[in-house]
DNA sequence: TGGCGTAAGTTGTCACTGTCTACATAGGAG
DNA sequence: CTCCTATGTAGACAGTGACAACTTACGCCA
C-alpha cells in the first residue's frame, strides 16, 4: 500500500515541484490561503522540505508573482500584431489580452499586485516585472514616432495606460462589470475611452 | 498593578472597540496580518470575545473594508466643488482626492479591493460600496448633460474612469510612479490623459 | 576508485493562531 | 424582583509557520 520505498530520499526537483503545486493550488482555491504544509504534502515531501528552497511563505508567493509577470509578458507579446496596423488594430488586441489574462488567472493576478508576496515594491521593481511594463512603454513610444499617438511624455502616458488596464482588470475580476449595470461590453467601452485619450 | 477590578465584566461597546483597534493596527502594520487575538488583547478583552461580534476574521475585515468605502465616499464628496466650474476644475480635485485617499490609507485601500475581506463581489455590491461608486456615475451623467463630457453610455464611461483612478492609485501605493522613471507628476499626467478621453 | 563535504530531506518541537464549547455575568423587559 | 439572553471568560483542539538537530546520498577531488 504505502509507496515509501518507491520515492527516493531526494526529490531531485523539489523547487520546481513546490512552485507548480503552489500554482495549482493558487488556481484551484482562487487565493493563497493554502498552507505550506499542504503544498509539501501534495508534493510528497515532508512539511519542512520546502524551507530548503524558500526562506518563508512570502518568498514562495513572491516567486509565484514573478512567474505571473513572466506569463503576462509572454501573453502580451503573443497578442502584439506583427504588422504595424492602425492604432486601434494594434492596441485593442493587446489590451484585451491583458484583461483576459487577469480574468483567466484571477488569483495569480491579484497576487502579482497584492501585498502578500514580499514587499510589493521589490517585486514590481524586479527585472522580470519591469520588462513586462516595458512592453507598454515601447509600444507607446513607437506609436508616437509613427504619429499614431498623441505626443506626450511617454512615462506619464504609460502610467495612464497601465493604470487603465490594471483598474479595468480588477473590476472584471471582482465581477463589478455586470452587463445589466454597466452595459454589454463595458471593457470595450472603457478601452475606447482610453484610446480616445491617447490617439493623435 | 493589575487593573482587573477596574474593568467591568462587560465592555459595553466592544464591537466599536474591536473595529477601531483593528483599523489602528491595519494602519500601523500596513497590512492585515494582525491576529484576532492581538486585537482582543489591545482592546482589553479575552481572546474569544470578538467572536461575539464577528463570526470570523474575514467578517471583521469585510466591515473594515466597508468603513473604507464610507470614508472614501465622504472624502470624494468633500472634494467636489459646489459651483459647477469647468470640467477640469471639477474633475481634477475629486480625482486627486481619490488618489490621495489611497496614498494616505494604503492598507485600508488594498483591503477594500482585496480578496481577504469576504467575497470581494459581496463587499463591492453592497449598498455602502455602490453608493461610493455612484458619485462618479452621477458626476459623469451631469457632465454629459451640461455638454462638458463627451456623450457616451455613462456606465461604460464610468467604468473607464473608475478603472483609471483605481489603477493609478495602486501604482502610487506600490511606489511604481518613481519621479525619475515616470516624470515629475505622473499622476497629473495620467489624469490629463483620462480627461482628454472624456471631455467633449 | 573511494572518501567525504554539503545540499537536500526527515522528524520533532515550539509558540501561536482561529475557532469551538461550556460556563459566568449582568442589564433590561416583564 | 426575577429571569432571559446578550455579552464576556476560560479552556481545549487541530493545525500552522518556522527552527533545530539529525540523515541521506550526489558529485567533486585526491
Amino acid at each position: 500500500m504505502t509507496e515509501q520505498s518507491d520515492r527516493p530520499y531526494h526529490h531531485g526537483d523539489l523547487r520546481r515541484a513546490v512552485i507548480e503545486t503552489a500554482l495549482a493550488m493558487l488556481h484551484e482555491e482562487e487565493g493563497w490561503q493554502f498552507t505550506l504544509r499542504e503544498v509539501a504534502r501534495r508534493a510528497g515531501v515532508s512539511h519542512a522540505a520546502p524551507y530548503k528552497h524558500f526562506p518563508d511563505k512570502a518568498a514562495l508567493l513572491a516567486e509565484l508573482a514573478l512567474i505571473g509577470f513572466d506569463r503576462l509578458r509572454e501573453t502580451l507579446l503573443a497578442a502584439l500584431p506583427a504588422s504595424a496596423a492602425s492604432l486601434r488594430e494594434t492596441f485593442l488586441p493587446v489590451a484585451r489580452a491583458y484583461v483576459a489574462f487577469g480574468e483567466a488567472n484571477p488569483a495569480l493576478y491579484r497576487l502579482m499586485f497584492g501585498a502578500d508576496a514580499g514587499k510589493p515594491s521589490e517585486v514590481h521593481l524586479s527585472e522580470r516585472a519591469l520588462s513586462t511594463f516595458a512592453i507598454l512603454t515601447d509600444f507607446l513610444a513607437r506609436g508616437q514616432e509613427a504619429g499614431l499617438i498623441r505626443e506626450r511624455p511617454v512615462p506619464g502616458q504609460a502610467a495612464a495606460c497601465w493604470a487603465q488596464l490594471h483598474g479595468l482588470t480588477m473590476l472584471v475580476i471582482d465581477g463589478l462589470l455586470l452587463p445589466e449595470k454597466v452595459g454589454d461590453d463595458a471593457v470595450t467601452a472603457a478601452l475606447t475611452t482610453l484610446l480616445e485619450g491617447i490617439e493623435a
Side-chain angles (χ1 to χ4, degrees), chain A:
Chain A
M1 273 309 185
T2 59
E3 41 178 335
Q4 54 190 22
S5 51
D6 295 10
R7 189 169 13 96
Y9 189 88
H10 282 103
H11 181 287
D13 201 8
L14 221 209
R15 187 186 159 88
R16 191 180 312 272
V18 164
I19 290 175
E20 270 164 22
T21 307
L23 273 175
M25 297 183 76
L26 183 69
H27 189 258
E28 288 165 18
E29 305 179 11
E30 300 253 308
W32 48 96
Q33 334 74 321
F34 62 75
T35 193
L36 262 214
R37 290 170 107 105
E38 177 68 17
V39 172
R41 253 168 255 142
R42 282 181 52 162
V45 294
S46 76
H47 60 161
Y51 285 91
K52 295 291 169 180
H53 299 275
F54 302 94
D56 54 22
K57 187 177 176 184
L60 170 57
L61 293 181
E63 176 59 26
L64 297 188
L66 288 175
I67 290 176
F69 279 105
D70 293 340
R71 293 189 178 173
L72 176 57
R73 181 177 347 104
E74 282 158 30
T75 300
L76 295 182
L77 287 175
L80 208 52
S83 65
S86 76
L87 179 62
R88 275 187 146 76
E89 286 166 351
T90 315
F91 182 73
L92 280 182
V94 177
R96 276 183 206 292
Y98 186 102
V99 177
F101 177 87
E103 206 171 357
N105 312 280
L108 180 56
Y109 188 84
R110 285 196 114 98
L111 181 62
M112 288 162 61
F113 289 91
D116 292 337
K119 282 222 159 296
S121 47
E122 283 177 22
V123 170
H124 294 158
L125 294 179
S126 76
E127 181 50 35
R128 290 158 80 186
L130 286 180
S131 67
T132 306
F133 288 81
I135 296 177
L136 182 63
T137 317
D138 293 352
F139 173 77
L140 292 177
R142 282 200 306 276
Q144 287 197 11
E145 276 176 31
L148 293 170
I149 293 179
R150 205 172 304 185
E151 296 216 3
R152 293 284 183 279
V154 169
Q157 201 176 46
C161 289
W162 198 280
Q164 179 71 261
L165 290 177
H166 177 57
L168 198 54
T169 304
M170 291 296 287
L171 293 179
V172 169
I173 288 179
D174 287 353
L176 248 34
L177 262 31
L178 308 169
E180 68 267 28
K181 287 219 162 210
V182 92
D184 247 8
D185 192 355
V187 172
T188 300
L191 291 178
T192 303
T193 297
L194 172 59
L195 212 43
E196 291 176 343
I198 65 170
E199 69 188 347

